[in-house]
Amino acid sequence: MTAGQNRIPVNLDYAASTPMRAEALLAQREYDDSELAGVNPNSLHSLGRKAAARLEVARREIARSFGARVRPSEIILTNGGTEANQLALLGLAEGARQRDRKRSRVIVSAIEHDSILDNLPLLRAAGFTVDLVQPCRAGYIEPATLVELLGDDVALVSIMVANNETGVVQPIRELAAAAHAAGALFHTDAIQGYLHIPLDVTELGVDAMTVAAHKIGGPVASGALYLKSRTPLRPRIFGGGQEAGRRAGTQDLRTQMAFAAAARTLAPRVAQERTTLQALSDKLYATLTAHPRIHATMGDYAQADRLPGMVSIYVDGMDSEELIIKLDAAGFEVSAGSACSSGSMDPSHVLSAMGIGREQALGALRISFDDRVNPADLDEFAQTLLSIVGAA
């Protein structure tokens, strides 16, 4: 393709971050034009009380997106998914240990995002032992494998809803039940799956769940942690009584209003959009894997429970960097895996844990999109990638 430099780039890296939705942008503009612009929602004067009331409206709307029975008081607003994950991982582990001193072990999956894995040294420094539970070749954690690691010394189990590189959805309900049977708390990082597949924290049976607004068309630096009532948590940030003493710092009303607007827009359409996007991703998988050198990372993609707007492949005999550069020149933006570790030349820790060899893992690509994708762009992308691989 020679027209790549003359066309508007097609962003197929929505798993990294998404453009803000019109509803979120409108919410920000309405805030900027209102009397509440710049008002601290913790102030005692009239505007401060109005800002606090508006913040609680946003919190209530965000709470609804976690499930019909979620209380606004169970939502802790944060400055993003990474902060929410650290608060959950370290705060829940220490909260569980304070309640029962023998609970000094934490189990996380080997395929977690770096916002979980890079905090494991802090857990160890705090006196916890950490075990990694490995996925099967299809990319998910089998409940029986988790059960083998559980014991009455486990404080917390943390396993993500859906992997951010492969899109494989984990059996969270069964995993949470296994953790609870051993007396442990269960946290799930839902940042990648939130409002892309139906999720209800009550039905899943989790004690805590983290999300981030920028994965759904909301603003960057906005996230939330669902914390089930009476779940023990030791705060990580001190210096104020905000968020019921669980997370200090002045809340950004502007950002949370935009987050709530995006959540309010998407929540009623999750099932419908999943069906539409699943058909698009199935078609893309079928087109690409018909080439003998292109493979779905999880094996049989048709049998996998996976996110609808993500396609995860690897190409024999080519590395990700070469593929990304050539696709970029043709006007298509994709990634090799997690954008948070895109500068690394090591193979993906996720694909390695799944048993994919180093050479294959170094040829991985992640194509991701949401309901705003143009199906014709996906078709053109597929033909462009096939021509690149075929010419190699």
Side-chain angles (χ1 to χ4, degrees), residues 339-351:
C340 301
S341 56
S342 59
S344 173
M345 294 306 294
D346 294 326
S348 158
H349 72 276
V350 172
L351 302 188

Side-chain angles (χ1 to χ4, degrees), residues 62 65-66 74-76 78 80-90 92 112-113 115-116 158-162 186-195 199 201 204 206-213 215 222-227 233 259:
I62 293 168
S65 71
F66 282 76
E74 295 176 308
I75 301 298
I76 303 172
T78 70
T82 295
E83 183 201 329
N85 267 345
Q86 193 203 50
L87 173 59
L89 183 70
L90 301 174
L92 287 167
E112 295 300 301
H113 188 271
S115 59
I116 291 290
S158 181
I159 298 174
M160 63 192 351
V161 161
F186 190 92
H187 161 253
T188 188
D189 168 3
I191 291 170
Q192 206 68 66
Y194 173 59
L195 293 179
L199 294 174
V201 292
L204 291 175
V206 300
D207 300 295
M209 186 169 89
T210 51
V211 303
K215 305 288 189 178
S222 179
L225 170 64
Y226 160 78
L227 184 71
L233 179 85
F259 178 6

Side-chain angles (χ1 to χ4, degrees), residues 92 139 152 218 384:
L92 287 167
D152 63 6
T384 301

Side-chain angles (χ1 to χ4, degrees), residues 306-383:
R306 51 188 167 79
L307 294 178
M310 190 182 300
V311 170
S312 174
I313 59 172
Y314 65 88
V315 182
D316 290 334
M318 298 188 75
D319 63 65
S320 303
E321 183 177 10
E322 178 186 2
L323 290 166
I324 290 169
I325 290 172
K326 288 184 175 181
L327 287 166
D328 183 44
F332 296 99
E333 317 299 332
V334 300
S335 70
S338 174
C340 301
S341 56
S342 59
S344 173
M345 294 306 294
D346 294 326
S348 158
H349 72 276
V350 172
L351 302 188
S352 295
M354 290 168 58
I356 295 175
R358 175 184 172 83
E359 293 304 315
Q360 287 79 19
L362 286 173
L365 285 181
R366 180 186 69 185
I367 305 102
S368 52
F369 45 89
D370 68 11
D371 55 291
R372 294 168 284 182
V373 72
N374 181 347
D377 286 337
L378 293 178
D379 293 339
E380 189 174 350
F381 164 79
Q383 294 310 312

Side-chain angles (χ1 to χ4, degrees), residues 110-262:
I111 57 173
E112 295 300 301
H113 188 271
D114 287 345
S115 59
I116 291 290
L117 297 180
D118 286 356
N119 281 293
L120 298 186
L122 292 178
L123 275 177
R124 296 187 180 101
F128 290 93
T129 301
V130 180
D131 290 323
L132 295 180
V133 57
Q134 301 294 326
C136 66
R137 176 59 187 83
Y140 62 89
I141 306 300
E142 296 174 301
T145 305
L146 173 62
V147 169
E148 291 176 3
L149 292 176
L150 288 167
D152 63 6
D153 60 341
V154 177
L156 173 68
V157 177
S158 181
I159 298 174
M160 63 192 351
V161 161
N163 186 261
N164 56 293
E165 295 188 28
T166 66
V168 174
V169 176
Q170 307 298 312
I172 296 300
R173 185 182 292 103
E174 293 81 1
L175 296 169
H180 290 153
L185 296 175
F186 190 92
H187 161 253
T188 188
D189 168 3
I191 291 170
Q192 206 68 66
Y194 173 59
L195 293 179
H196 295 300
I197 56 175
L199 294 174
D200 184 311
V201 292
T202 305
E203 293 177 3
L204 291 175
V206 300
D207 300 295
M209 186 169 89
T210 51
V211 303
H214 74 109
K215 305 288 189 178
I216 63 165
V220 175
S222 179
L225 170 64
Y226 160 78
L227 184 71
K228 186 179 179 180
S229 293
R230 295 184 291 280
T231 299
L233 179 85
R234 185 175 185 274
R236 300 295 302 170
I237 300 176
F238 302 92
Q242 296 89 349
E243 298 301 301
R246 300 170 298 187
R247 191 270 181 195
T250 302
Q251 299 96 333
D252 183 353
L253 176 56
R254 181 179 191 267
T255 297
Q256 300 301 350
M257 285 174 60
F259 178 6

